[in-house]
Amino acid sequence: MPLGVNLCFAVKRMPEPERWAAFVREELGLDRVQFTFDLLDPWWPDEQRARLACRVRDAAAAYDLVIDSCFVGLAHYVPSGLLDPDADARAAALTWWQRAIDLTAELGAPAVGGPMGTISEADAADTNRRNDRQNELVDHLERLARRAADSGVRELLVEPTPILREYPAYIDHCQTLLNTLRGRGVDNVGLTLDTGHTMFQRLHGADAGIESWIHNLGSRIRQIHLDNTDGHGDPHWGWPHPQGTFDVGALAACLADNNLSDISVILEVYPRFEDNTAEVLKLIASSVEHCRAHFPVDAQVVRDAAAG
């Protein structure tokens, strides 16, 4: 269960690859990052995108960082995506995902993922339209999974969210989605499980916790997003936080007990854009230290960071 960090903290602060790479390696003592498309949008023109992707690869290599995976980020999470009520909007979202897969391959990352979209209030209220949106999503995921395999990207990762209209939202949604894809011969789609999403009590009840997700979904979980919460929202807090209640040690034990020691654990602490940069970086560092006791980090990386 190697520990890494999502680069969302760098958005609007240190977009230069050399800066975030140095911070992750020298200050955090980590050797693994999850790249966010908020730093390099797949929509950008090919020529400029290729040069920027090369800069990201070079910076990661210079600091011996693994780009564990690429993730949607905030900007593309906002649209309704592959579940939009308008067919043209869904087609545009499909093109975005195809370009995201291509960019992931350019960056040399083995996985790409994120939430897939949001069903509108009107479509959700109509059983037929809701089923149409969900069935079409499966078709899109099959197409994208095959493109990923052809591009050398090992896995397409779907992230369940704490919003009911963002399919999949429940454990049984995930099971149905992945079983349907496997029935079509697609076995390279897995799940990114966010600790805060699984504890959202308004959707999952007062006893909500990540353990039931792990027990029921098992090896279909290919990655963890690790963040702190109180179960009443999706704040993506770090450690320490006066209201945060998430138990990192219990998560580590649960993953080990369910033979999931091979998956990456990505710290996803998402500060507000207006927060002071020095305080944000201090929070990221303290969060890494809080989690490091439970998830392995290469000892040489830690020594290098301490020496630096």
Side-chain angles (χ1 to χ4, degrees):
M1 294 174 282
L3 180 66
V5 64
N6 184 289
L7 294 173
C8 55
F9 69 87
V11 176
K12 292 187 179 291
R13 293 185 174 86
M14 48 175 71
E16 306 93 341
E18 300 80 12
R19 287 198 63 203
W20 55 251
F23 175 73
V24 170
R25 180 75 183 198
E26 296 175 352
E27 303 298 327
L28 300 182
L30 297 178
D31 62 357
R32 184 174 301 265
V33 297
Q34 181 173 76
F35 189 78
T36 170
F37 291 129
D38 284 341
L39 292 171
L40 175 52
D41 196 318
W43 274 134
W44 291 355
D46 291 345
E47 183 178 351
Q48 289 89 347
R49 194 186 77 179
R51 184 186 66 80
L52 293 165
C54 182
R55 185 178 175 188
V56 170
R57 286 198 315 271
D58 288 349
Y63 287 92
D64 293 322
L65 294 177
V66 173
I67 302 178
D68 174 273
S69 48
C70 297
F71 234 69
V72 160
L74 181 61
H76 191 70
Y77 171 61
V78 174
S80 293
L82 294 172
L83 293 170
D84 195 286
D86 191 293
D88 284 340
R90 296 195 299 276
L94 182 63
T95 301
W96 185 93
W97 272 105
Q98 290 167 339
R99 292 182 64 81
I101 289 169
D102 295 345
L103 178 53
T104 299
E106 284 185 71
L107 293 173
V112 61
M116 294 295 142
T118 310
I119 299 176
S120 70
E121 292 277 5
D123 280 1
D126 184 294
T127 301
N128 290 331
R129 292 209 301 269
R130 183 177 66 247
N131 289 338
D132 285 345
R133 294 289 77 75
Q134 293 175 354
N135 291 337
E136 188 182 75
L137 176 63
V138 177
D139 295 338
H140 289 329
L141 288 175
E142 178 181 0
R143 184 181 304 180
L144 292 171
R146 298 192 189 284
R147 186 185 184 99
D150 291 342
S151 302
V153 176
R154 188 176 67 238
E155 291 181 310
L156 177 64
L157 302 174
V158 176
E159 182 177 32
T161 78
I163 300 175
L164 179 57
R165 289 180 291 107
E166 292 187 0
Y167 185 81
Y170 290 115
I171 293 171
D172 63 327
H173 289 176
C174 297
Q175 292 170 326
T176 298
L177 177 66
L178 296 179
N179 286 343
T180 303
L181 287 168
R182 288 189 176 182
R184 299 183 183 188
V186 176
D187 59 3
N188 62 329
V189 178
L191 299 171
T192 292
L193 208 59
D194 186 286
T195 57
H197 299 178
T198 66
M199 290 183 63
F200 186 51
Q201 295 179 19
R202 194 186 313 161
L203 194 63
H204 301 300
D207 296 328
I210 196 169
E211 292 81 7
S212 59
W213 290 75
I214 294 172
H215 292 321
N216 283 284
L217 295 170
S219 62
R220 298 176 176 193
I221 302 166
R222 299 309 308 147
Q223 184 181 81
I224 297 292
H225 273 172
L226 179 57
D227 51 83
N228 202 1
T229 184
D230 60 0
H232 299 296
D234 186 26
H236 284 259
W237 293 325
W239 288 268
H241 193 282
Q243 296 168 247
T245 60
F246 189 79
D247 188 335
V248 179
L251 168 65
C254 189
L255 291 173
D257 290 345
N258 285 271
N259 299 314
L260 292 175
S261 297
D262 63 323
I263 69 173
S264 57
V265 176
I266 304 295
L267 184 68
E268 193 184 36
V269 174
Y270 213 129
R272 299 173 300 183
F273 293 143
E274 65 271 23
D275 288 347
N276 175 271
T277 294
E279 292 300 316
V280 166
L281 299 185
K282 181 180 177 181
L283 174 64
I284 299 299
S286 67
S287 299
V288 168
E289 287 309 305
H290 181 87
C291 300
R292 195 193 305 275
H294 305 287
F295 298 105
V297 177
D298 187 278
Q300 185 59 49
V301 176
V302 177
R303 288 194 296 271
D304 290 347

